[in-house]
Amino acid sequence: MNIKRRYLVIIVVVAIALGAIGSYVGLSMFANGTSLGNEGMSKSDRDLLSQLSDQKENMEENIGKMSKVADAFSIIKENYVEDVEESQLIEGAIQGMLSSLEDPYSVYMDQETMEQFNEQIESSFEGIGAEVSMKEDNVTIVAPIKDSPAEKAGLKPNDQVLSVDGESIDGLDLYEAVNKIRGEKGSKVVLEINRPGVEETLEIEITRDSIPLETVYVETKEQNGKLIGIIELTSFSENTANDFKKELTDLEEQGIDGLVIDVRGNPGGLLQSIEKILKEFIPEDTPYLQIEDPSGKKTRYFSDLKTGKTYPVVTLINEGSASASEILAAALNEGLDYDIVGETSFGKGTVQQTVSMGDGSTIKITRFKWLTPEGNSIHEVGVKPTIEQKMPDYYYTNPIQIEDALALDESDSKIENVQIMLEGLGYKPGRTDGYFNKSTQEAVENFQRDKEIEVTGVIDTKTAEVLQTAIIEKVRDGEDDLQLEKAIETLTD
């Protein structure tokens, strides 16, 4: 059969698209087809023939390995003591392959999970409002969403969820766990939390609500005669880049002398969104990003911007800044030498793509690595600030969970936590080392008096609850924001 070589290549490509067996047959016919011959071939044609021959050998090897999977399927199906659904074995095999990657971002969602996931995405985003990920086999909070129930309840980046409403989620995949945490507006959920650095687990009750969809918040501050624009980005959604550009234009028309981009607690989002934002700042002669594909090939990406901004920019980050947030901070720093203020970020340097399996199920798989303009990876390392700045100690306090009241002359790490809270609220415990002294008792009494609760001088359940609420409100109000103050100072000095 005399088929032109180019047409045969098309047949091979189609065979590859149709599956491994079709690919194998196509490659065998091409690589072994002596009637075609090598005479008259160009060097590029001979190279292509060599590559296809190599692919054929790899396909033969892979088909041989797949026979082991088929054998296991048959052994289980024919010998297991109980009846097993074929679909159960197939689903389990897919889950197992993805689990073997040990990549928390590569996951499989079966048809039922996808249906639930899509229903929840379409139902006005009701739940607790927190970005989660799998980290060391634990469902881990990346960041609570701004003004969400999770933020109001005091969830923090790197909190590990151990159970939901008293039921352990150990062994569940990420989406199974998320389905248990999500729920209708107004319903309550109790999460058992393991917080790094805290000896005992925490139980945090959260009332689910509608999750805010706004992602861009803007304000201005004047200091040392300079007008500073502040744009806070809480995530990178479909509309974030357009909203950012609109607000930035408005700030520039006001004549800002500097800009703070605040991505603290921003868990990331769409890569396309962050690319559009970076193209507003980084000129065409400097890459704003590099992407590394599965073969190790690195591609640099450039904007078509002729000139950069005439004012300086500072990025604010913390441990809840992940993925696209880290791309932003690293790109502005390496591309334009703009400062980064805050604390080391989360460390997610990979990009995922979803692949439909054709039956309603989906595989989300890590497809690329993103690199900084200079080619550095921040995966599992994070972006380090050029100017490190922590928040006041009370920002890092934990919920007070007690069975017995804390009182005079006792010593406990929970008392240390209370003392830091009291000090942050303007009361004077006299010390913050965990010893309940007379000054701490007086501070507790003053707090109780101001909050119109029974004045006992001890930390009972009621006092602990009111104290916790007061400190969360102060944190959410942004008082004593040392990181923002440092960023503005950097721009105005």
Side-chain angles (χ1 to χ4, degrees):
M1 181 168 147
N2 188 15
I3 304 176
K4 289 185 178 180
R5 194 184 66 81
R6 292 291 181 189
Y7 291 165
L8 189 54
V9 171
I10 294 173
I11 293 173
V12 173
V13 172
V14 172
I16 291 172
L18 291 175
I21 300 298
S23 298
Y24 175 74
V25 172
L27 289 169
S28 295
M29 182 177 71
F30 183 78
N32 295 328
T34 55
S35 62
L36 295 174
N38 290 341
E39 297 81 2
M41 283 189 180
S42 67
K43 182 179 183 302
S44 62
D45 288 342
R46 288 195 298 272
D47 289 342
L48 178 59
L49 178 59
S50 175
Q51 291 173 14
L52 289 171
S53 297
D54 291 341
Q55 289 179 23
K56 177 211 169 203
E57 292 176 5
N58 291 335
M59 197 72 73
E60 288 175 330
E61 182 180 351
N62 289 335
I63 289 174
K65 291 176 181 177
M66 289 300 292
S67 67
K68 185 176 181 180
V69 177
D71 290 343
F73 180 92
S74 298
I75 290 169
I76 296 170
K77 187 79 173 118
E78 295 171 9
N79 296 282
Y80 187 62
V81 67
E82 297 179 5
D83 289 338
V84 181
E85 293 289 335
E86 292 183 355
S87 60
Q88 177 186 346
L89 295 177
I90 294 169
E91 298 284 317
I94 298 171
Q95 292 276 20
M97 284 188 283
L98 284 161
S99 296
S100 72
L101 300 177
E102 297 184 350
D103 174 13
Y105 306 109
S106 293
V107 294
Y108 171 67
M109 289 183 282
D110 61 25
Q111 186 174 356
E112 181 181 357
T113 304
M114 274 302 298
E115 288 174 356
Q116 293 174 352
F117 182 76
N118 289 331
E119 286 173 6
Q120 289 163 343
I121 289 297
E122 293 166 2
S123 63
S124 75
F125 295 94
E126 294 180 350
I128 69 166
E131 178 80 9
V132 297
S133 175
M134 275 291 188
K135 193 173 182 180
E136 297 177 354
D137 295 327
N138 293 304
V139 175
T140 303
I141 304 296
V142 177
I145 296 171
K146 181 180 175 68
D147 293 331
S148 68
E151 184 192 55
K152 295 173 183 176
L155 282 184
K156 296 183 178 182
N158 291 313
D159 280 351
Q160 297 171 349
V161 183
L162 304 181
S163 69
V164 179
D165 290 331
E167 183 179 343
S168 172
I169 58 172
D170 185 39
L172 299 185
D173 65 34
L174 182 64
Y175 290 99
E176 289 171 332
V178 166
N179 285 337
K180 288 185 176 294
I181 296 170
R182 279 180 173 149
E184 294 182 359
K185 176 180 178 179
S187 63
K188 296 181 183 296
V189 62
V190 177
L191 304 183
E192 182 186 7
I193 298 294
N194 177 40
R195 179 167 292 171
V198 179
E199 294 178 5
E200 300 177 2
T201 60
L202 308 171
E203 285 194 356
I204 299 180
E205 182 179 88
I206 305 173
T207 301
R208 301 179 178 102
D209 202 347
S210 297
I211 308 306
L213 299 181
E214 188 175 353
T215 62
V216 181
Y217 298 81
V218 183
E219 63 175 317
T220 57
K221 289 185 181 291
E222 191 168 344
Q223 184 167 307
N224 295 340
K226 294 183 178 180
L227 183 65
I228 304 300
I230 303 163
I231 301 182
E232 180 183 4
L233 303 175
T234 58
S235 67
F236 293 94
S237 66
E238 187 175 354
N239 298 321
T240 301
N242 290 336
D243 292 344
F244 177 89
K245 184 174 182 178
K246 178 182 176 182
E247 297 294 352
L248 180 62
T249 300
D250 182 59
L251 288 173
E252 289 175 341
E253 288 175 353
Q254 295 180 47
I256 57 171
D257 300 296
L259 176 69
V260 176
I261 304 178
D262 185 353
V263 289
R264 291 175 295 177
N266 182 326
L270 299 176
L271 179 63
Q272 298 93 323
S273 180
I274 190 60
E275 286 188 278
K276 289 180 181 178
I277 291 174
L278 287 173
K279 289 177 181 179
E280 295 289 324
F281 294 92
I282 300 182
E284 59 185 357
D285 58 346
T286 302
Y288 61 80
L289 174 69
Q290 291 194 45
I291 295 290
E292 182 178 331
D293 69 16
S295 70
K297 179 184 177 182
K298 299 175 183 177
T299 303
R300 300 195 300 169
Y301 290 83
F302 296 83
S303 74
D304 55 7
L305 186 67
K306 299 301 180 184
T307 59
K309 302 297 184 183
T310 58
Y311 50 81
V313 179
V314 167
T315 311
L316 273 176
I317 64 171
N318 64 7
E319 59 183 345
S321 306
S323 192
S325 297
E326 297 172 289
I327 294 175
L328 175 71
L332 292 178
N333 173 245
E334 289 189 1
L336 296 169
D337 201 29
Y338 289 154
D339 278 315
I340 304 170
V341 172
E343 300 167 90
T344 300
S345 60
F346 186 81
K348 181 182 182 292
T350 56
V351 181
Q352 286 68 46
Q353 287 184 338
T354 56
V355 182
S356 172
M357 301 294 285
D359 62 351
S361 62
T362 297
I363 288 177
K364 185 176 79 168
I365 191 164
T366 297
R367 189 78 175 89
F368 305 103
K369 297 177 183 177
W370 71 260
L371 308 173
T372 67
E374 296 177 359
N376 299 314
S377 172
I378 59 86
H379 193 57
E380 298 183 345
V381 176
V383 175
K384 296 183 184 300
T386 58
I387 302 173
E388 188 168 352
Q389 177 65 59
K390 294 178 71 67
M391 297 294 274
D393 289 343
Y394 70 83
Y395 273 73
Y396 306 97
T397 54
N398 305 304
I400 310 164
Q401 298 186 346
I402 55 175
E403 295 180 2
D404 300 318
L406 305 172
L408 185 65
D409 289 332
E410 293 181 352
S411 183
D412 192 283
S413 60
K414 294 177 182 177
I415 295 173
E416 177 185 348
N417 195 52
V418 167
Q419 290 169 330
I420 295 172
M421 286 183 174
L422 288 168
E423 190 169 67
L425 291 169
Y427 299 91
K428 297 180 179 179
R431 60 202 300 165
T432 56
D433 59 0
Y435 175 67
F436 204 125
N437 65 345
K438 190 67 176 175
S439 295
T440 300
Q441 184 182 51
E442 292 173 358
V444 172
E445 290 172 350
N446 290 333
F447 175 79
Q448 291 170 329
R449 192 174 294 110
D450 290 345
K451 296 300 181 182
E452 298 182 348
I453 55 180
E454 185 181 1
V455 179
T456 62
V458 302
I459 301 293
D460 53 16
T461 303
K462 178 62 176 178
T463 302
E465 179 183 327
V466 176
L467 182 58
Q468 178 68 29
T469 300
I471 208 71
I472 288 175
E473 288 177 353
K474 184 165 185 179
V475 169
R476 291 183 60 240
D477 287 343
E479 294 187 46
D480 308 321
D481 191 340
L482 300 183
Q483 292 173 342
L484 178 58
E485 290 175 10
K486 176 60 73 173
I488 293 173
E489 178 187 318
T490 301
L491 293 171
T492 56
D493 280 354

